[in-house]
Amino acid sequence: LFSRVWEAQTWTCERWPTITGRCQTGCWSPDGSRLLFSVLGESVIYSLSFSERRGESMQGQVGGSKTASVVADLSETTFETLYGEERIGGEIHSMAWDPTGERLAVIVRGQPHAPGSQAVIAVFRTRNSPAFELLPCGFVRGERDAQPQLLAFQPCCGKGALLTVCWSTGRISHVPFFFVSGRGPRASPGRSPTVPARSGREQPLFSEL
């Protein structure tokens, strides 16, 4: 299969070979240099990077990497918790990247017919500069039997990010994220420091370094 990738100045396009299957969801980094997307029926997140060069030499060119790389695999995994065994993971339904470029929220559908499997929102800490990184941050769940349907980050939120979620029960919830840096959002991502885990330094799920 091929996908058409357009650049928005002269509205020319290029045909790129793409992953087999239809795109399910996608989101751009705040600076427009990276596209994260998933394919229908899969549990992995793909990444495409785009050139930030400007000028006459780039006019009419998309300037992207043309090759998608896998940056996260959210296949179902079993966790032992205080409430017993829980199964988390599965097909990716939708994604949203906050305007500061520091948090990525992903609706993971789970396995509907598997006992103990449930849909959750997986949250990642992200860094896009100087190199792209994904770091698991946690999960957001609704009330019992509530499935996340839609999600979006609010455009302006001082000292962090605000995630709005619409649930299958009809409820709408707002989930605030307060960044460790405690400073107001900036256009360029990558300012949050890495917080050491109790057992040592955190390891990113994906890193270009």
Side-chain angles (χ1 to χ4, degrees):
L1 293 179
F2 290 85
S3 61
R4 292 183 181 271
V5 184
W6 297 78
E7 60 87 22
Q9 292 184 344
T10 62
W11 290 107
T12 56
C13 70
E14 296 178 2
R15 294 184 67 194
W16 291 2
T18 188
I19 309 299
T20 301
R22 181 170 63 87
C23 179
Q24 168 67 27
T25 184
C27 57
W28 289 92
S29 62
D31 62 2
S33 66
R34 186 174 300 275
L35 173 66
L36 299 180
F37 68 96
S38 66
V39 174
L40 181 66
E42 293 190 3
S43 58
V44 297
I45 298 176
Y46 296 95
S47 171
L48 277 173
S49 59
F50 291 80
S51 172
E52 296 182 357
R53 291 181 296 169
R54 298 291 185 269
E56 294 183 0
S57 61
M58 290 295 295
Q59 189 171 3
Q61 298 182 35
V62 175
S65 60
K66 301 186 181 182
T67 302
S69 57
V70 175
V71 295
D73 187 344
L74 303 183
S75 299
E76 189 175 67
T77 304
T78 301
F79 293 90
E80 288 291 341
T81 70
L82 295 175
Y83 306 100
E85 186 178 273
E86 296 190 33
R87 302 166 67 93
I88 297 176
E91 182 179 345
I92 296 171
H93 178 262
S94 59
M95 296 187 291
W97 210 336
D98 93 280
T100 69
E102 294 211 24
R103 295 295 183 272
L104 175 71
V106 182
I107 295 180
V108 185
R109 281 299 190 196
Q111 304 295 334
H113 304 294
S117 180
Q118 58 180 318
V120 298
I121 300 173
V123 181
F124 299 88
R125 186 157 71 242
T126 58
R127 187 189 306 272
N128 202 34
S129 176
F132 177 66
E133 290 185 350
L134 268 181
L135 188 68
C137 198
F139 300 98
V140 176
R141 304 183 188 182
E143 298 174 338
R144 187 177 183 85
D145 297 327
Q147 306 290 320
Q149 302 293 312
L150 301 169
L151 79 172
F153 281 100
Q154 300 305 307
C156 297
C157 181
K159 299 183 180 180
L162 181 62
L163 177 66
T164 299
V165 184
C166 178
W167 302 91
S168 57
T169 56
R171 288 181 176 269
I172 295 177
S173 60
H174 302 285
V175 185
F177 297 91
F178 296 100
F179 300 153
V180 175
S181 59
R183 290 179 285 175
R186 297 186 301 184
S188 60
R191 70 178 187 281
S192 283
T194 300
V195 181
R198 293 182 180 179
S199 59
R201 186 176 181 273
E202 286 183 323
Q203 296 297 319
L205 183 64
F206 177 85
S207 175
E208 289 182 330
L209 293 176

